[in-house]
């Protein structure tokens, strides 16, 4: 669902996705489509890493990371002459001679930033919480790290002592 939101949020205002709402003044370049699709997929994946589990208490807001990549992609694939900020700053000729050649660099930065964010998010994902220890890593996080899968090992079975096995001082310590 987040990928579709990214597709619409970047594609409609930039004119990459033709709609009757907006007419682009310059043609869409061949590289605009792969950048648009790649940032939408990566943005959707980054947003998916921020879905909150019911037992989580802390808010997990991924809006900043995902929005940054989406905005950079919109500046990268958008019409250079249609961007009012660029035209106000550089003029129409500056938009075509200075801004337009920078757009592929922005596209690479957008994709690289979303990849970096996704990798960082997946490296920190765990399958579940284990009291008193580090939880096992998810298969996706293991694949990102290139680490071998977690395998449970059993060194020995420890049985808790019964009340009769404890000394009087250990019993008072256990009671608190």
């Amino acid at each position: 669902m987040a990928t579709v939101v990214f597709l619409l949020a970047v594609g409609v205002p930039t004119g990459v996705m033709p709609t009757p709402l907006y007419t682009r003044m310059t043609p869409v370049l061949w590289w605009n489509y792969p950048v648009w699709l790649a940032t939408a997929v990566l943005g959707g994946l980054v947003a998916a890493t921020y879905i909150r589990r019911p037992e989580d208490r802390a808010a997990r807001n991924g809006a900043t990371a995902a929005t940054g990549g989406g905005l950079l992609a919109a500046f990268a694939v958008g019409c250079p002459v249609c961007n009012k900020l660029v035209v106000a700053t550089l003029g129409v000729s500056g938009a075509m001679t200075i801004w337009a050649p920078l757009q592929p660099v922005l596209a690479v930065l957008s994709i690289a930033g979303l990849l970096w964010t996704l990798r960082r998010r997946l490296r920190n994902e765990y399958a579940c919480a284990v009291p008193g220890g580090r939880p096992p890593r998810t298969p996706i996080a293991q694949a990102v790290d290139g680490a071998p899968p977690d395998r449970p090992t059993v060194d020995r079975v420890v049985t808790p002592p019964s009340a009769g096995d404890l000394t009087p001082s250990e019993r008072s310590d256990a009671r608190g």
Side-chain angles (χ1 to χ4, degrees), residues 13-14 22-26 78-87 95:
T14 60
Y22 175 75
T23 304
R24 190 175 166 121
M25 293 183 201
T26 60
C79 169
V81 182
C82 306
N83 188 331
K84 291 178 183 169
L85 294 173
V86 173
V87 172

Side-chain angles (χ1 to χ4, degrees), residues 134-162:
R134 188 172 179 163
R137 297 179 56 74
T138 63
I140 293 174
Q142 291 167 4
V144 169
D145 287 341
D150 291 337
R151 291 197 172 34
T153 58
V154 177
D155 293 333
R156 61 189 170 117
V157 176
V158 179
T159 57
S162 64

Side-chain angles (χ1 to χ4, degrees), residues 55-172:
E55 65 272 4
D56 285 348
R57 301 257 186 242
R60 300 175 76 187
N61 187 354
T64 304
T67 303
L71 283 175
L72 205 53
F75 282 121
V77 300
C79 169
V81 182
C82 306
N83 188 331
K84 291 178 183 169
L85 294 173
V86 173
V87 172
T89 306
L90 302 173
V92 173
S93 63
M96 292 304 291
T97 58
I98 297 171
W99 183 254
L102 289 176
Q103 286 182 302
V105 176
L106 294 176
V108 169
L109 290 175
S110 171
I111 292 171
L114 286 169
L115 280 170
W116 178 81
T117 303
L118 181 63
R119 183 176 189 276
R120 185 170 175 177
R121 293 289 308 150
L122 290 177
R123 287 187 70 182
N124 295 325
E125 279 296 313
Y126 293 98
C128 61
V130 176
R134 188 172 179 163
R137 297 179 56 74
T138 63
I140 293 174
Q142 291 167 4
V144 169
D145 287 341
D150 291 337
R151 291 197 172 34
T153 58
V154 177
D155 293 333
R156 61 189 170 117
V157 176
V158 179
T159 57
S162 64
D165 295 338
L166 299 176
T167 64
S169 65
E170 289 173 333
R171 275 188 234 137
S172 66

